[in-house]
Amino acid sequence: MGKQLAIEGGAKAVKQAGAYPTKIHVDELLELLDLWEFPAATRRTLATTIRKAAAQIKGPHLFRYYNPRPSKVEAAEKAFGKFIGSPYCLAVNSCTSALIAAMRALGIGRGDEVIVPAYTFFATAAAVGACNAIPVIADVDDTLTLDPQDVARRITPRTKAIAVVHMLGFPAQMAELKALADKHQIALIEDVAQAAGGSYRGKMLGSIGTIGCFSFDYYKVLNSGEGGFVTTSNEWLHTRAQSWHDCAACWRPNRFAAERREGELFCGENYRMSELQGAVALAQIRKAGRILNGYRTAKQRIMAALALPRGIKLNRLADKQGDTSTSMVLFMPDVEKTKWATKAMQAEGVPAGGIYDAKIKNWHIYTHWDHIMEQKAVAPDGLPWSGVKKSELPAYAMDMCPHALDYLSRSVVIGINANWTAAHARAVAEGINKVLAKV
Ligand SMILES: Cc1ncc(COP(=O)(O)O)c(C=O)c1O
């Protein structure tokens, strides 16, 4: 006769729960602090204080779900949705993921076409291909964003969406593009990777189209190193994007229930944001007003002091008030003058750069997108290109978007810094003026 079982009222074999299951503790926190590069003495003081307090903490739970504490990712979603004015907001691990989740939510797949601008980071077009759909490249105009007239010319019966990109923080021509999308009953996807906090006619970018996609990678207006958000006012699209972002529609109200509506269950991927990114993103979102104010003030100061000679123009702004002001673009009379002015401004200490040079690889311009121009495929099935008849594929050619090449080859772009003081902005304006006077 053995001991009485606990299930029958006997004593439990395991009296206490084991150690808290997280393996992440103070060593990991000290590694994080290392990233902030405190002076050695401060770091040592912090390390001593933290190690002394080690016994008082359990360690963080860095997974947003099953979290015994309020999730930072969830808080970031709420804060960012409020900031953008979108009732639904999903955090993901990048804008590339956001774009794919958005397109999958819209049901975009094999054989469908999505119109993308000739000037955008390659990710916008790559996301289309990753959905096995065909990226159709449309020209940009003097706003450096999609030219609505060229978009209209490129719409076919297979077009499922227009992916508009608010490049360099400049709002795109949303009224015209939305009218086009509505007329053809296709989706308008906003790629707001470079323009978080920008607006168009009083509405925040990312809340105007069918769905908005944001990047929080290190180089963006707001960042968490890596990260992204999907915003929409359409609950169904949010549900489907959320399902796609977590492989098996795990986070439905009842995860094991049958579909509430056809199209709710499908095989997805994993684009979840971690609590580490969520915490940094949340702090950034709370500081968004200050950061944007820094950009806008610096650009206004430069603009107020700018002396534009005849023949040199700024890019046209679809909405001046809505410009995030992270950059400023000057169109030069010709390519030679562009190259000279760029170098001359750099010599003055102005953070100026050129955009397009056929000989210099730049993944922001379609002529350098070998993956598309040469129709590369990841697998022998040849997708996405084999998803339509050859005769239906767009005619990808180096000269298919002449305005993009013309404007971009004559552009000098100046990156604005949100932390510039009035004196620094004045010095930058002086450097620009000095050079422009000699063009
Ligand atoms: C216009 C645009 N779209 C998409 C992306 C992709 O963003 P992420 O790096 O978060 O995937 C970027 C990033 O540079 C971008 O500039």
Side-chain angles (χ1 to χ4, degrees):
M1 171 137 174
K3 290 183 181 166
Q4 194 182 15
L5 295 174
I7 200 171
E8 290 166 355
K12 280 170 113 169
V14 180
K15 306 262 180 327
Q16 272 182 338
Y20 190 75
T22 186
K23 293 175 211 133
I24 301 172
H25 210 246
V26 296
D27 298 320
E28 291 77 6
L29 176 58
L30 293 175
E31 280 303 324
L32 281 181
L33 282 182
D34 206 36
L35 292 175
W36 266 252
E37 297 189 89
F38 286 102
T42 312
R43 194 188 181 285
R44 276 195 299 276
T45 312
L46 287 171
T48 309
T49 310
I50 288 167
R51 286 206 187 280
K52 261 195 210 149
Q56 295 159 25
I57 61 153
K58 288 175 172 175
H61 186 107
L62 297 181
F63 190 64
R64 72 169 292 180
Y65 297 111
Y66 303 124
N67 202 325
R69 301 182 191 140
S71 160
K72 295 287 181 191
V73 175
E74 209 178 306
E77 279 175 345
K78 286 204 178 103
F80 197 63
K82 195 167 169 210
F83 176 59
I84 297 302
S86 282
Y88 302 100
C89 178
L90 173 73
V92 288
N93 54 10
S94 74
C95 184
T96 308
S97 303
L99 286 161
I100 297 172
M103 289 180 205
R104 287 313 204 185
L106 286 161
I108 288 167
R110 182 184 169 134
D112 294 332
E113 292 177 357
V114 177
I115 297 179
V116 301
Y119 178 45
T120 176
F121 180 59
F122 175 66
T124 323
V128 180
C131 293
N132 284 329
I134 306 288
V136 174
I137 300 167
D139 216 342
V140 302
D141 57 20
D142 56 347
T143 62
L144 293 187
T145 64
L146 270 179
D147 170 3
Q149 289 183 14
D150 197 53
V151 171
R153 281 191 286 274
R154 296 185 197 255
I155 290 174
T156 75
R158 293 176 297 284
T159 309
K160 278 283 166 66
I162 301 166
V164 56
V165 183
H166 305 288
M167 252 337 238
L168 297 175
F170 304 129
Q173 296 159 86
M174 293 305 286
E176 295 84 347
L177 291 166
K178 194 163 177 338
L180 256 183
D182 290 348
K183 180 177 159 199
H184 293 273
Q185 297 187 324
I186 56 179
L188 182 58
I189 301 166
E190 287 183 76
D191 179 336
V192 205
Q194 300 193 7
S199 61
Y200 177 84
R201 296 189 185 170
K203 284 197 84 181
M204 295 293 275
L205 304 180
S207 72
I208 304 163
T210 319
I211 197 159
C213 301
F214 291 82
S215 174
F216 265 52
D217 83 25
Y218 185 69
Y219 298 99
K220 300 306 189 284
V221 183
L222 307 173
N223 85 90
S224 48
E226 296 276 9
F229 289 91
V230 181
T231 54
T232 182
S233 55
N234 182 318
E235 186 184 6
W236 181 234
L237 287 181
H238 173 74
T239 298
R240 279 172 52 92
Q242 191 193 39
S243 293
W244 183 267
H245 113 294
D246 193 8
C247 76
C250 290
W251 305 107
R252 298 177 303 133
N254 181 352
R255 63 191 302 193
F256 299 117
E259 288 187 297
R260 288 173 297 176
R261 177 174 159 190
E262 199 183 330
E264 190 182 26
L265 277 182
F266 45 78
C267 302
E269 302 197 347
N270 172 7
Y271 299 162
R272 291 186 306 257
M273 181 185 271
S274 102
E275 286 288 284
L276 284 176
Q277 294 167 316
V280 179
L282 181 60
Q284 285 273 291
I285 295 160
R286 287 183 179 144
K287 283 187 351 193
R290 226 186 313 155
I291 293 171
L292 283 153
N293 189 39
Y295 282 119
R296 289 184 170 137
T297 305
K299 187 166 176 179
Q300 275 160 16
R301 284 176 171 150
I302 296 173
M303 295 298 286
L306 191 69
L308 269 189
R310 273 161 76 98
I312 298 173
K313 285 193 169 142
L314 292 158
N315 67 312
R316 179 166 61 89
L317 290 175
D319 184 325
K320 222 173 182 176
Q321 271 72 46
D323 179 13
T324 55
S325 302
T326 55
S327 37
M328 171 177 169
V329 171
L330 295 158
F331 294 138
M332 296 290 148
D334 60 49
V335 176
E336 281 318 303
K337 287 183 172 137
T338 309
K339 287 184 181 166
W340 178 82
T342 306
K343 274 198 194 136
M345 284 188 204
Q346 286 167 351
E348 297 291 341
V350 175
I355 302 183
Y356 175 65
D357 180 334
K359 294 192 207 89
I360 301 172
K361 277 268 178 202
N362 179 340
W363 277 30
H364 293 79
I365 302 143
Y366 74 98
T367 50
H368 296 301
W369 300 342
D370 302 347
H371 335 49
I372 291 174
M373 302 305 280
E374 297 170 16
Q375 294 168 30
K376 306 282 189 198
V378 67
D381 61 16
L383 287 170
W385 320 107
S386 59
V388 291
K389 292 187 210 127
K390 265 208 156 63
S391 59
E392 288 176 345
L393 274 176
Y396 296 116
M398 289 297 178
D399 60 356
M400 66 186 174
C401 296
H403 295 113
L405 299 187
D406 174 40
Y407 286 117
L408 296 173
S409 63
R410 291 190 295 108
S411 294
V412 177
V413 59
I414 293 138
I416 310 284
N417 185 317
N419 296 319
W420 282 347
T421 59
H424 197 99
R426 252 196 326 273
V428 170
E430 192 197 325
I432 298 171
N433 287 342
K434 252 173 99 179
V435 173
L436 293 186
K438 298 267 170 75
V439 169

